[in-house]
């Protein structure tokens, strides 16, 4: 039966912004006063990481010589679809172990009492966001939740090739992010339920701060529309005595301050947390790929859905400027550390769910 109006309505305690825990450390100074800050505690986060990854690594004999917290992982197996997670990394044992760590971490976080269990338990705004970000391919029976700044343009190329709208993924055309794509939000409730239950579901994630820096450099350094829409507002809001501005000179610190003051559920999709975009507790994804292993994870997904052999994941464009670890460290160390401590709680679920290390911006690390 299709959902009733009550199914779509916001229910207190059912649809939630994020887990009902609060950060109790200094990370929360200034942030804990915000009534909407419903986030895991540092203790809970530590327990999650320890139980989800550390013990497994000890079991596998991989803890020696590895710095905490646990390293990145590659995918998730849905409990009801165990075969979907048989990730073939061409004998890459490390990748398989890291995938297990991520699987266990996601299960641990999502099993918390107040986490959503389905898209129908989400609030109206939350449900609309996730359904608008899930792309559908009925021929190959899969759903893809796209995350901006995590190779989503290339994945949209792949979807267009599989649907026959493009000849191949290497065609040199400007990407239209809406045309020839089918979104789950455009379907009826019963159609949504069927596809969520029976289709292969996947998304790709990226180190949270690296994704933010990529969005900042791209949107405020290159895209005039973003400079006018967001840049002008940011400069006027956070820079004293500013006159006329075109919004093309937003500093990274100003951008971060803007993010700290924004409601995560109403953020632009390019810097909205992955948790809010794709709701990995409400949607049982079969695979969570990593930007850090984009080519191999992408090829795995294409094999898994049965794509034709001639369809491959696109290579990065020649003009692409990757963000090095040194560049990211430079930008993070340049921030007032109180500001960074206010920012991290908004993305703590992306760090914990996808087992990314929190950034190290101690004075010693920043000196290097």
């Amino acid at each position: 039966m299709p959902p009733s109006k009550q199914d779509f309505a916001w229910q207190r305690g059912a649809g939630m912004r994020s887990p009902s825990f609060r950060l109790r450390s200094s990370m929360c100074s200034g942030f804990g006063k915000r009534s909407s800050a419903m986030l895991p505690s540092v203790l809970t986060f530590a327990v999650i990481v320890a139980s989800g990854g550390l013990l497994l690594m000890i079991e596998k004999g991989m803890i020696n010589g590895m710095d905490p917290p646990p390293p990145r992982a590659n995918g998730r197996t849905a409990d009801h679809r165990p075969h979907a997670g048989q990730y073939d990394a061409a004998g890459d044992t490390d990748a398989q172990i890291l995938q297990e760590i991520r699987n266990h971490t996601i299960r641990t976080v999502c099993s918390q009492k107040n986490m959503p269990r389905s898209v129908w338990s989400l609030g109206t705004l939350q449900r609309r966001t996730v359904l608008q970000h899930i792309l559908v391919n009925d021929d190959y029976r899969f759903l893809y939740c796209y995350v901006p700044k995590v190779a989503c343009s290339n994945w949209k190329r792949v979807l267009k090739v599989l649907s026959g709208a493009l000849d191949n993924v290497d065609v040199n055309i400007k990407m239209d992010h809406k045309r020839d794509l089918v979104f789950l939000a455009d379907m009826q409730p019963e159609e949504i339920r069927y596809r969520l239950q029976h289709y292969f579901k996947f998304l790709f994630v990226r180190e949270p701060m690296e994704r933010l820096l990529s969005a900042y450099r791209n949107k405020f350094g290159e895209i005039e529309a973003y400079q006018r829409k967001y840049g002008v507002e940011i400069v006027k809001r956070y820079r004293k005595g500013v006159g006329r501005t075109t919004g093309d000179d937003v500093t990274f610190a100003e951008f971060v301050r803007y993010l700290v003051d924004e409601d995560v559920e109403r953020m632009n999709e390019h810097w909205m947390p992955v948790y809010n975009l794709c709701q990995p507790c409400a949607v049982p994804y079969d695979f969570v790929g990593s930007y850090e292993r984009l080519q191999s994870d992408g090829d795995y997904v294409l094999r898994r859905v049965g794509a034709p052999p001639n369809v491959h994941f696109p290579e990065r464009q020649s003009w692409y400027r990757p963000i090095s670890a040194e560049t990211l460290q430079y930008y993070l160390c340049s921030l007032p550390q109180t500001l960074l401590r206010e920012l991290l709680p908004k993305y703590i679920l992306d760090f914990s769910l996808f087992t990314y290390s929190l950034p190290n911006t101690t004075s010693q690390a920043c000196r290097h």
Side-chain angles (χ1 to χ4, degrees), residues 22 39 51 74 79 95 121 123 149 158 223 241 247 249 254 267 270 328:
R22 292 188 184 275
L39 297 160
S51 63
N74 297 295
D79 292 342
S121 65
K149 310 312 297 179
V158 170
I223 312 299
D249 61 344
E254 289 169 338
M267 284 182 175
H270 290 86
L328 177 60

Side-chain angles (χ1 to χ4, degrees), residues 96-261:
Q96 294 175 21
I97 292 172
L98 294 179
Q99 183 195 3
E100 291 180 42
I101 294 170
R102 176 174 283 171
N103 294 346
H104 193 94
T105 304
I106 291 176
R107 286 197 300 269
T108 302
V109 175
C110 293
S111 67
Q112 297 294 321
K113 181 180 178 181
N114 291 326
M115 299 303 280
R117 295 294 186 264
S118 76
V119 295
W120 311 114
S121 65
L122 296 171
T124 303
L125 178 58
Q126 296 168 318
R127 182 167 50 252
R128 182 166 65 244
T129 297
V130 65
L131 295 181
Q132 287 176 343
H133 282 83
I134 294 181
L135 294 167
V136 182
N137 184 287
D138 285 325
D139 291 334
Y140 293 91
R141 296 174 66 85
F142 68 80
L143 304 177
Y144 160 58
C145 185
Y146 78 87
V147 178
K149 310 312 297 179
V150 191
C152 72
S153 295
N154 277 345
W155 272 114
K156 288 175 181 179
R157 282 177 175 269
V158 170
L159 265 76
K160 291 188 179 191
V161 170
L162 292 176
S163 68
L166 279 182
D167 291 334
N168 62 76
V169 296
D170 301 315
V171 173
N172 187 19
I173 61 168
K174 181 177 175 61
M175 172 56 62
D176 187 319
H177 291 272
K178 300 293 183 183
R179 185 176 179 182
D180 299 318
L181 294 170
V182 180
F183 295 83
L184 200 58
D186 297 330
M187 297 186 169
Q188 295 300 312
E190 60 272 15
E191 297 174 318
I192 294 172
R193 289 182 190 274
Y194 178 84
R195 285 161 178 78
L196 285 172
Q197 182 177 354
H198 296 286
Y199 282 19
F200 179 77
K201 300 169 286 294
F202 70 95
L203 75 153
F204 274 69
V205 298
R206 184 177 186 177
E207 199 283 329
M209 296 297 101
E210 182 182 311
R211 176 172 168 252
L212 286 187
L213 179 56
S214 177
Y216 164 74
R217 291 172 63 173
N218 172 237
K219 300 308 176 186
F220 295 103
E222 303 171 8
I223 312 299
E224 188 176 339
Y226 274 77
Q227 295 168 359
R228 290 197 306 267
K229 182 174 182 179
Y230 296 99
V232 170
E233 177 189 351
I234 291 172
V235 169
K236 288 183 176 179
R237 188 188 298 184
Y238 300 108
R239 199 177 300 174
K240 294 181 180 180
V242 67
R244 184 179 178 85
T245 177
T246 58
D248 62 349
D249 61 344
V250 174
T251 68
F252 187 58
E254 289 169 338
F255 174 58
V256 169
R257 194 171 298 280
Y258 168 75
L259 296 179
V260 167
D261 290 338

